[in-house]
Amino acid sequence: MPALEEVLYDALPVLDHGFVRVIDYMGDDGAVVQAARVSYGRGTRRVSEDRGLIKYLMRHRHTTPFEMCEIKYHVKLPIFVARQWIRHRTANVNEYSARYSILDKEFYVPAPQHLAAQATSNRQGRGDLVEGAAAQRVLDLLREDAERAYANYAELLNEDEGGARKDPSWPGLARELARMNLSLNFYTQWYWKTDLHNLMHFLSLRADVHAQYEIRAYADAMLDTLRRWVPMIYEAFLEYRMNASTISATGLKVIQRMLAGEQVDQAASGLSAREWRELMAVLGR
Ligand SMILES: Cc1cc2nc3c(=O)[nH]c(=O)nc-3n(C[C@H](O)[C@H](O)[C@H](O)COP(=O)(O)OP(=O)(O)OC[C@H]3O[C@@H](n4cnc5c(N)ncnc54)[C@H](O)[C@@H]3O)c2cc1C
């Protein structure tokens, strides 16, 4: 795909030291269409009809044709982001070994516009921005802790750049042990390979507003690689997954009653207060 080839191997920057880069890929929009036609028999072949077929597959969750395409990323990411990411079990992962190699002195410090207090309405998210002197104090603490942790890591390793002992009086601690006091904002790296179906599942969860900003930043960069790789599928993905919504059976009845002209409030809706708020947000009310 020419648009994806344009950024193949390029480190697309994410956060302060991270990146996502596409290393390899297999298949395109056509591979999905071709696989779907095996199950539907001989059919139409015009581009407009390919687009229609892809939309149909996406709408009706006919997912296996999307598994015909694969993509491999090289990702550099903070350890706390990696912990969220690794929960997605349907990928193949190979991570940088801090038993074998020494970690670089690179740690994540949020940009000021991402420093926020605990949300009051949502136990999981961020609320108001932390600004001024308080923000400066936060940044100082984050930097000081990481600097100290790395300085102690280096002392425990007791190795200079050529691998010789810095302090000849002791051998230094094994790399697999020396790393354990590093904080979660230090960067790790991995190769992450998945198929298109599972990539879209990952993106639908991690490019979503409910995901933590730091992992969302990676998902947003990957969304752009999806657009370059499989433009028709990307379009259908935005239409039927990312920007779509699932309505519960009770929620659907509420909409039907509203369309029939009835004034429905939360108490009469059969929905919990939270579900009601979510439905009203979807309806833009
Ligand atoms: C906003 C947000 C908040 C979260 N909060 C928490 C939290 O507080 N605590 C926490 O522990 N996790 C949390 N998670 C992680 C979440 O519960 C999932 O583990 C993660 O999103 C991976 O999703 P998945 O299992 O669908 O993905 P994958 O592992 O990629 O799996 C894809 C799909 O494959 C199928 N599948 C894979 N493995 C199995 C299996 N063994 N059995 C059956 N089906 C399988 C499922 O259909 C699954 O949806 C959160 C995720 C998000 C997006």
Side-chain angles (χ1 to χ4, degrees):
M1 289 302 294
L4 187 60
E5 295 282 330
E6 274 173 25
V7 296
L8 196 65
Y9 309 127
D10 288 356
L12 309 170
V14 186
L15 304 181
D16 50 0
H17 301 291
F19 62 72
V20 165
R21 61 191 187 112
V22 179
I23 296 296
D24 208 354
Y25 66 99
M26 179 177 85
D28 55 12
D29 283 326
V32 172
V33 167
Q34 193 186 26
R37 291 221 165 97
V38 168
S39 52
Y40 295 134
R42 262 159 56 95
T44 52
R45 275 180 178 79
R46 289 208 310 268
V47 169
S48 62
E49 288 158 346
D50 286 355
R51 179 172 276 115
L53 176 56
I54 285 172
K55 286 181 164 183
Y56 177 88
L57 297 174
M58 191 75 74
R59 230 173 27 248
H60 294 277
R61 299 191 200 172
H62 184 160
T63 53
T64 45
F66 297 107
E67 293 171 23
M68 298 299 151
C69 296
E70 298 213 334
I71 191 159
K72 180 160 65 189
Y73 292 98
H74 177 191
V75 190
K76 184 172 171 192
L77 69 175
I79 295 167
F80 72 93
V81 175
R83 285 194 56 184
Q84 295 185 336
W85 194 315
I86 202 70
R87 300 300 306 280
H88 295 266
R89 299 156 289 180
T90 44
N92 306 107
V93 188
N94 203 59
E95 187 173 5
Y96 182 94
S97 171
R99 296 183 68 194
Y100 186 82
S101 305
I102 296 176
L103 283 167
D104 292 329
K105 187 182 169 185
E106 280 181 321
F107 51 85
Y108 169 65
V109 177
Q113 67 270 27
H114 297 298
L115 281 186
Q118 179 63 40
T120 47
S121 60
N122 168 357
R123 282 173 190 243
Q124 205 163 231
R126 298 177 200 187
D128 295 337
L129 273 188
V130 174
E131 292 173 300
Q136 194 51 53
R137 173 82 182 128
V138 170
L139 293 173
D140 290 347
L141 283 175
L142 291 173
R143 284 203 189 93
E144 282 166 21
D145 283 357
E147 290 278 356
R148 191 179 52 241
Y150 198 86
N152 290 345
Y153 173 62
E155 185 177 337
L156 292 170
L157 291 170
N158 194 28
E159 276 183 54
D160 68 16
E161 290 195 349
R165 285 183 193 176
K166 280 202 247 177
D167 174 353
S169 69
W170 76 299
L173 196 65
R175 290 170 188 175
E176 65 181 20
L177 286 170
R179 64 176 167 174
M180 67 187 168
N181 271 16
L182 290 175
S183 40
L184 294 181
N185 58 346
F186 275 88
Y187 276 84
T188 183
Q189 299 188 30
W190 61 33
Y191 267 33
W192 193 78
K193 178 176 78 68
T194 193
D195 64 54
L196 178 55
H197 166 63
N198 286 299
L199 174 67
M200 289 191 289
H201 179 68
F202 173 85
L203 294 176
S204 68
L205 291 170
R206 302 305 183 174
D208 185 84
V209 288
H210 297 97
Q212 173 164 352
Y213 161 73
E214 282 77 13
I215 195 164
R216 216 166 63 224
Y218 286 88
D220 286 345
M222 291 157 80
L223 260 182
D224 193 54
T225 63
L226 183 75
R227 178 185 64 78
R228 290 170 177 275
W229 178 25
V230 282
M232 281 190 216
I233 292 169
Y234 171 79
E235 207 180 281
F237 176 63
L238 292 191
E239 176 69 15
Y240 299 109
R241 298 283 298 280
M242 283 307 292
N243 300 328
S245 181
T246 304
I247 310 277
S248 68
T250 309
L252 208 50
K253 285 205 185 81
V254 168
I255 296 172
Q256 286 162 351
R257 285 164 63 191
M258 285 174 162
L259 285 175
E262 197 182 327
Q263 289 289 330
V264 189
D265 61 13
Q266 189 253 315
S269 70
L271 294 171
S272 69
R274 184 171 190 158
E275 276 190 278
W276 173 261
R277 276 200 307 277
E278 287 171 3
L279 179 64
M280 290 306 111
V282 166
L283 299 179
R285 290 182 168 214

